[in-house]
Amino acid sequence: MGRALSLSVVQWETIRKFPHPSGVTPNMAEYERERRSFSWDGAHQWLDGLPGGAGLNIAYEAVDRHAAGAISSKPALRWLRRGGDALDITYGELSERSSRFANALESLGLGAGERVFLLSPRSPDVFVAVLGTLKRRAVLCPVFAAFGPEPVRQRMELGSARVLVTTYDLYRRKVAKIRDRLPLLEHVLLSGDLSGRDLPAGTTALDTLLDAQPSGYRIAPTHPEEMALLHFTSGTTGTPKGAVHVHEAVVAHHATGLLALDLHPDDVFWCTADPGWVTGTSYGIISPLTCGVTSVVEDGEFEAERWYGILETMGVTVWYTSPTALRMLMQAGPEPARAHDLSRLRFIASVGEPLNPEVVVWARDTLGLPVHDNWWQTETGGIMIANYACMDIRPGSMGRPLPGVEAGVLLRDEHDRVVIGPDGAAREAGPGQDGELALRPGWPSMFRGYLGDEERYRAAFDGGWYLTGDLARRDGDGYFWFLGRGDDVIKSAGHLIGPFEVESTLLEHPSVAEAAVIGKPDPVAGEVVKAYVTLARGYAPDDELRLELLGFARSRLGATVAPREIEFDQHLPHTHSGKIVRRLLKERELHHPGLGSSGPGRGAHR
């Protein structure tokens, strides 16, 4: 399509790069200079490689090279246990225990390329299993612990699981009833405290198994293109896709830890992502370890006072979390933040869904630091676009491409297909035009395939680009702006409207705690914009407030883009990771059009 966006962008102030009082100089001192000098071949040299030129192995770069060097006695993990006390685990200890895990896999007959599944909350045993699996050159397959038995079974069947590492409770609730449908699953290793419990038939205590193993392990030669990680997409529609990643991905994990998250050797890092998702693996485990920092590990539920307490007592300096969590902290008000000393915190980043502009400004005003949003996908394996420590932030923007990554916005035709010229190259949109966000292939953490689905993998590339499926625009200064997934964008009377920008505008109103925007079918316009709104505490859903919000949005976005309807709903559907599922709202609208869209208090149905 390629025409200029109809969106009327909310004009937020540019937040100038934020020097920290500690005087820490960003690893990337100047963006354009880094882009000119950076190469992936050079980034390979930041890592050691296996001794004797025996290849590249993620676990060696993450832990063994540190354990053999000057930081062997440095805490790799700071485990905040349920009782409230913290336990430090050094790089040397983590190397030894993960070597025991690799030896355990060997004793079970597991060879290179075979699959180890992980179904577990955050704990040190997760790090041990991940690193030990990679040392053995087996393939790690994390699964989100909040999934029900059927999604767990589906992923384990697709991935040909031979070994599962999980907890006693998760096994009883999620796996025991489906195990007879997983004939390839030979070994279940139960982690955590098992005292006083009878082990279910066909399971083994992980601690007992590890204690029987030698503490040394020599990693076999590992080709950088060997399969290392298998990440399944969430599978909200259709069969989950298994994205294949290789050991060379560690080059991007390390480089983005330095450049995008600005990790320094003395940092205490807290990534709140669950280990069942790609963020929890790439940046909860691998990246901070390759950078030699100390990672906070905890498994409690979200609660504003507790999270602020962790930031203070653990001395967190770099924090990587989700927009959902930040919005929840914002809703809790400024008082909990002011009750804690957060002076050591110097860098905040977010990922997982678009970050609303007002959250960036709120963080600057309440926490003393802005939030640096970034963008990437399961398929990219690592951060591709980011707001960097050395760079001004434009609230609402994803930022600019990582050095070594070429990003573009490709034109789409009236059938929503990428426009390919006679030379076979895709046509790029100009500044301010909408299109599909795309990346030039070739970065180290790029996925190498979808498991068992070569046709689907080939379809993800066209005209010399990897097609992300996200719609975006690029401004005149090279900042990228997210519009939505291709199937989320609203097409109304010839205009393309990104739901994220409408949602962000509604969130500026003090009564709105959460907003979700969809296209409602309309016989004249094709679709009209409809917003579902969750109200903040102290506000009641009534027609007066609905009219106020409609006028508020129209004054900022214009009549074309502003919602035509608003429905109040205190129970918006979310994924397990906290993202709003617009697809379910669209289905609701198709089956129950107009339900709750007029009259006070009608929108509280589910």
Side-chain angles (χ1 to χ4, degrees):
M1 296 175 185
R3 56 184 163 272
L5 282 171
S6 61
L7 297 177
S8 174
V9 182
V10 177
Q11 295 300 311
W12 292 89
E13 62 179 298
T14 295
I15 295 178
R16 300 300 176 189
K17 55 189 176 186
F18 236 69
H20 192 262
S22 66
V24 174
T25 301
N27 289 321
M28 187 196 309
E30 200 275 316
Y31 177 75
E32 291 296 346
R33 185 167 69 240
E34 188 73 38
R35 282 191 67 82
R36 290 192 299 270
S37 63
F38 182 90
S39 73
W40 287 115
D41 286 342
H44 270 265
Q45 305 309 309
W46 297 350
L47 299 172
D48 290 0
L50 286 170
L56 187 68
N57 184 284
I58 293 174
Y60 182 82
E61 302 301 335
V63 65
D64 281 8
R65 68 186 180 117
H66 298 314
I71 64 170
S72 177
S73 60
K74 177 181 179 177
L77 311 178
R78 185 153 291 156
W79 169 228
L80 185 60
R81 296 183 285 193
R82 289 294 178 96
D85 59 325
L87 172 69
D88 281 353
I89 299 169
T90 68
Y91 275 93
E93 292 166 339
L94 184 58
S95 175
E96 177 183 319
R97 194 156 178 83
S98 57
S99 288
R100 291 181 184 273
F101 190 91
N103 284 315
L105 293 181
E106 184 173 359
S107 74
L108 298 175
L110 197 81
E114 296 191 274
R115 316 291 161 69
V116 176
F117 273 69
L118 178 67
L119 180 72
S120 176
R122 303 176 193 89
S123 75
D125 282 341
V126 166
F127 288 74
V128 169
V130 168
L131 296 168
T133 297
L134 296 172
K135 286 185 180 184
R136 181 62 185 154
R137 295 168 55 226
V139 177
L140 175 77
C141 311
V143 177
F144 187 40
F147 278 148
E150 184 55 27
V152 170
R153 183 206 62 77
Q154 189 178 36
R155 286 157 175 76
M156 293 179 70
E157 181 179 62
L158 290 169
S160 303
R162 277 202 63 199
V163 175
L164 171 66
V165 180
T166 189
T167 65
Y168 177 91
D169 290 336
L170 286 172
Y171 179 77
R172 296 297 295 265
R173 290 190 286 115
K174 308 291 179 78
V175 181
K177 64 185 71 173
I178 61 167
R179 188 166 180 182
D180 61 351
R181 298 166 62 191
L182 296 167
L184 297 180
L185 181 61
E186 297 180 33
H187 307 284
V188 175
L189 311 180
L190 300 183
S191 66
D193 185 6
L194 300 174
S195 56
R197 289 176 162 174
D198 294 327
L199 295 187
T203 67
T204 302
L206 177 62
D207 282 348
T208 301
L209 181 63
L210 295 185
D211 289 345
Q213 307 302 319
S215 60
Y217 186 83
R218 182 180 178 275
I219 300 173
T222 308
H223 193 282
E225 288 296 315
E226 282 188 32
M227 185 175 174
L229 305 165
L230 179 63
H231 288 293
F232 284 96
T233 59
S234 58
T236 53
T237 58
T239 303
K241 299 174 290 186
V244 174
H245 292 278
V246 299
H247 279 275
E248 193 188 24
V250 70
V251 178
H253 296 151
H254 183 67
T256 50
L258 295 175
L259 301 181
L261 298 181
D262 198 44
L263 292 174
H264 289 65
D266 294 333
D267 276 324
V268 176
F269 176 66
W270 185 25
C271 173
T272 63
D274 188 276
W277 298 121
V278 65
T279 302
T281 303
S282 294
Y283 295 101
I285 299 174
I286 298 170
S287 179
L289 290 177
T290 68
C291 294
V293 306
T294 299
S295 289
V296 172
V297 184
E298 60 81 41
D299 187 43
E301 295 296 323
F302 173 87
E303 195 276 318
E305 177 64 32
R306 193 180 72 84
W307 274 35
Y308 284 129
I310 292 172
L311 291 170
E312 178 181 16
T313 59
M314 295 294 101
V316 174
T317 58
V318 178
W319 183 29
Y320 197 26
T321 191
S322 71
T324 295
L326 292 167
R327 286 193 293 266
M328 292 169 70
L329 289 175
M330 188 168 70
Q331 290 175 33
E335 290 76 16
R338 291 170 182 164
H340 293 274
D341 179 7
L342 306 179
S343 59
R344 290 202 62 195
L345 189 62
R346 67 170 180 82
F347 192 82
I348 307 171
S350 76
V351 76
E353 55 187 311
L355 180 68
N356 309 98
E358 85 281 355
V359 179
V360 180
V361 177
W362 164 83
R364 180 200 62 186
D365 296 341
T366 304
L367 306 179
L369 296 168
V371 182
H372 298 74
D373 196 18
N374 55 62
W375 175 94
W376 56 292
Q377 296 179 323
T378 300
E379 287 84 352
T380 72
I383 296 167
M384 296 285 102
I385 299 174
N387 289 275
Y388 306 97
C390 66
M391 197 172 79
D392 297 341
I393 295 176
R394 295 182 179 177
S397 169
M398 300 185 290
R400 300 174 74 180
L402 184 78
V405 169
E406 182 183 352
V409 176
L410 305 185
L411 294 173
R412 292 150 55 103
D413 63 21
E414 63 273 13
H415 303 294
D416 286 342
R417 296 175 301 204
V418 171
V419 176
I420 304 295
D423 59 354
R427 293 293 181 252
E428 292 193 58
Q433 288 183 300
D434 67 299
E436 181 165 0
L437 180 62
L439 305 171
R440 290 285 190 193
W443 65 95
S445 63
M446 187 184 82
F447 74 131
R448 300 304 200 263
Y450 287 124
L451 185 69
D453 198 342
E454 181 60 29
E455 182 179 352
R456 196 178 213 173
Y457 181 66
R458 288 196 304 268
F461 299 85
D462 198 3
W465 297 85
Y466 161 63
L467 309 177
T468 70
D470 286 351
L471 298 188
R473 71 169 175 273
R474 177 173 44 197
D475 66 24
D477 295 318
Y479 285 75
F480 283 73
W481 302 77
F482 180 83
L483 300 180
R485 289 294 296 172
D487 54 3
D488 280 340
V489 170
I490 301 162
K491 300 169 185 177
S492 180
H495 300 283
L496 296 182
I497 300 169
F500 171 63
E501 194 145 20
V502 183
E503 291 163 359
S504 294
T505 297
L506 288 168
L507 282 166
E508 293 179 63
H509 195 281
S511 70
V512 179
E514 197 168 34
V517 169
I518 65 167
K520 176 182 176 180
D522 181 84
V524 177
E527 290 181 306
V528 295
V529 179
K530 178 172 180 178
Y532 290 81
V533 167
T534 296
L535 295 177
R537 289 193 299 266
Y539 290 88
D542 56 31
D543 284 339
E544 182 179 355
L545 179 56
R546 180 179 288 107
L547 290 172
E548 181 180 335
L549 289 173
L550 288 170
F552 178 83
R554 179 172 287 215
S555 67
R556 284 157 174 75
L557 296 169
T560 301
V561 179
R564 292 270 297 274
E565 295 183 16
I566 288 179
E567 178 173 337
F568 295 120
D569 191 331
Q570 296 301 110
H571 303 285
L572 293 174
H574 294 81
T575 66
H576 290 294
S577 60
K579 300 177 186 178
I580 294 173
V581 186
R582 295 192 189 98
R583 172 180 54 82
L584 296 180
L585 295 174
K586 291 179 182 178
E587 292 175 2
R588 179 195 300 177
E589 191 60 44
L590 287 173
H591 293 108
H592 304 287
L595 182 61
S597 61
S598 62
R602 289 281 307 280
H605 60 85
R606 300 192 68 168

